[in-house]
Amino acid sequence: QVQLAESGGGSVQVGESLRLSCVASGRDFSRWGMGWFRQAPGKAREFVAGVSWHDIVQYADFAKGRFTISKNGGHNTVFLQMNALTPEDTAVYSCTFAQTLPVIEAGTGDHWGQGTQVTVSS
């Protein structure tokens, strides 16, 4: 019954910004963690950022200083602000919700969106 839907992807040039959104529905997410992964063609899916229900935040090294994860007060929406984008950021970005941050970080949760494409051109 849980449904996740990402939006906000697109094609930008190097140095520009995008803000991704993911809205979850189907239950009360007030004590769930949420996060973002990305996957480029031919590469493994990698963790980008995550936030727990009590607002503990974790970032991948490549995201620190450029990306910011946040959520709305109802805990059913997670955002990813991406600044200073480079071609290496080109990937499909997917959101995931789970009951604990460790599950978010490990990418082993059961609830995923279908992803939104981010393309960065030089």
Side-chain angles (χ1 to χ4, degrees):
Q1 295 181 6
V2 173
Q3 199 81 16
L4 310 182
E6 301 99 334
S7 62
S11 298
V12 298
Q13 295 185 359
V14 170
E16 295 184 338
S17 299
L18 285 172
R19 184 175 176 85
L20 308 182
S21 300
C22 174
V23 179
S25 61
R27 64 163 297 149
D28 180 9
F29 298 99
S30 60
R31 294 193 176 186
W32 285 51
M34 53 204 80
W36 293 91
F37 279 71
R38 71 183 188 183
Q39 186 169 28
K43 295 185 177 181
R45 186 172 64 182
E46 60 183 345
F47 174 75
V48 178
V51 58
S52 72
W53 71 269
H54 51 286
D55 298 323
I56 301 298
V57 176
Q58 297 289 339
Y59 292 100
D61 286 342
F62 66 80
K64 293 179 180 178
R66 294 194 300 128
F67 295 1
T68 303
I69 188 170
S70 60
K71 58 183 179 179
N72 73 336
H75 299 273
N76 70 326
T77 305
V78 61
F79 306 97
L80 185 69
Q81 177 68 43
M82 303 187 294
N83 298 327
L85 287 165
T86 75
E88 293 182 344
D89 297 317
T90 296
V92 174
Y93 286 71
S94 300
C95 64
T96 181
F97 278 55
Q99 296 184 59
T100 66
L101 188 57
V103 172
I104 293 293
E105 295 177 354
T108 55
D110 295 327
H111 305 295
W112 294 83
Q114 292 187 317
T116 184
Q117 177 70 49
V118 171
T119 302
V120 185
S121 301
S122 61

